[in-house]
Amino acid sequence: LLLADLSVKDHIESSNVKEFKKLVGSRSRSKNRSKSKSNDDAKSDNLFVVNYTRTRRLALFKGETIECFDQDIKLDISDFQVVITRKTLLTLLNYSLNTFTDPLAPELPSDKLRHNEEETVNSPVHINVDINMQSIHMILNDDGIKLATLVLDKADIGLFILPDSMKVNAKIGGLTLIDNDNYNGRKLIS
């Protein structure tokens, strides 16, 4: 999946400030792109690149063959602006939890492996996520007031998700927090 432009409007929290009308948007992208670019240059113009692999694996456990599906996801995200508004974020989180999770879901056969060691052949189902981010701006909005802007120049984040645990590795470069409310754009973290 390749994405060259994106705009998500906020219909939960209305604001008169133009900057707060979009939850997610691409940042200052050139509309006039050269048609004679190489494949590497064209790939760098994409805002969002997703590579997804689902691998079937058979595990033997207590004389039973269990079918498992491991997933690898690689995300390259660049030139995004995200507006974080309390009401919108909590509403979307509540919607996601109520819509996409089922606390009463029956146990799957692969759930029998959840307590096994992750390095063994009979390891539990896992999801491996690698996220590469460049030029991400997060604007913290409090009822129409721009509190702060978090600017992330580059980050590499790795998640290894198991049924009962998660490992997170992160390398963050060029993190800046700008106070837009009290100090007129003074850098708090740089």
Side-chain angles (χ1 to χ4, degrees):
L1 173 69
L2 303 174
L3 185 63
D5 196 14
L6 177 71
S7 177
V8 179
K9 290 186 179 179
D10 187 348
H11 291 286
I12 297 169
E13 180 76 24
S14 61
S15 175
N16 293 330
V17 180
K18 183 179 179 185
E19 189 174 30
F20 299 152
K21 291 184 186 266
K22 292 181 185 176
L23 283 174
V24 177
S26 52
R27 296 188 51 251
S28 65
R29 312 267 310 160
S30 170
K31 298 290 182 192
N32 301 324
R33 296 192 176 112
S34 171
K35 298 200 185 231
S36 61
K37 287 188 176 188
S38 70
N39 283 342
D40 290 338
D41 289 340
K43 189 175 183 180
S44 68
D45 276 346
N46 294 317
L47 294 171
F48 199 79
V49 178
V50 178
N51 292 313
Y52 175 78
T53 306
R54 183 175 174 187
T55 307
R56 180 178 177 248
R57 174 172 53 93
L58 297 176
L60 292 171
F61 183 71
K62 295 183 180 179
E64 182 181 356
T65 302
I66 299 174
E67 184 178 44
C68 301
F69 291 96
D70 298 327
Q71 300 173 66
D72 291 307
I73 304 164
K74 185 171 183 336
L75 300 171
D76 291 319
I77 305 169
S78 63
D79 298 316
F80 266 92
Q81 178 171 303
V82 180
V83 176
I84 299 174
T85 305
R86 179 183 54 226
K87 181 180 176 185
T88 301
L89 187 64
L90 291 175
T91 302
L92 290 173
L93 180 61
N94 186 40
Y95 171 78
S96 298
L97 289 174
N98 289 332
T99 304
F100 301 111
T101 61
D102 182 7
L104 304 174
E107 191 170 286
L108 298 173
S110 61
D111 289 338
K112 294 176 186 174
L113 304 174
R114 75 175 347 139
H115 300 293
N116 289 2
E117 295 294 320
E118 62 192 65
E119 293 85 21
T120 66
V121 177
N122 294 333
S123 65
V125 173
H126 67 267
I127 301 172
N128 189 23
V129 182
D130 289 320
I131 304 169
N132 178 12
M133 295 187 285
Q134 292 184 353
S135 186
I136 308 296
H137 289 221
M138 289 190 220
I139 298 170
L140 305 177
N141 172 18
D142 184 30
D143 297 328
I145 299 170
K146 186 176 182 180
L147 294 178
T149 304
L150 183 69
V151 179
L152 182 63
D153 289 333
K154 181 167 178 44
D156 292 318
I157 300 171
L159 302 168
F160 187 72
I161 304 168
L162 296 165
D164 291 336
S165 64
M166 174 173 48
K167 290 182 184 178
V168 178
N169 294 317
K171 294 178 193 173
I172 297 175
L175 179 70
T176 307
L177 179 64
I178 302 165
D179 186 337
N180 299 112
D181 186 29
N182 296 327
Y183 296 105
N184 270 340
R186 187 178 106 189
K187 290 183 182 178
L188 300 176
I189 298 174
S190 182

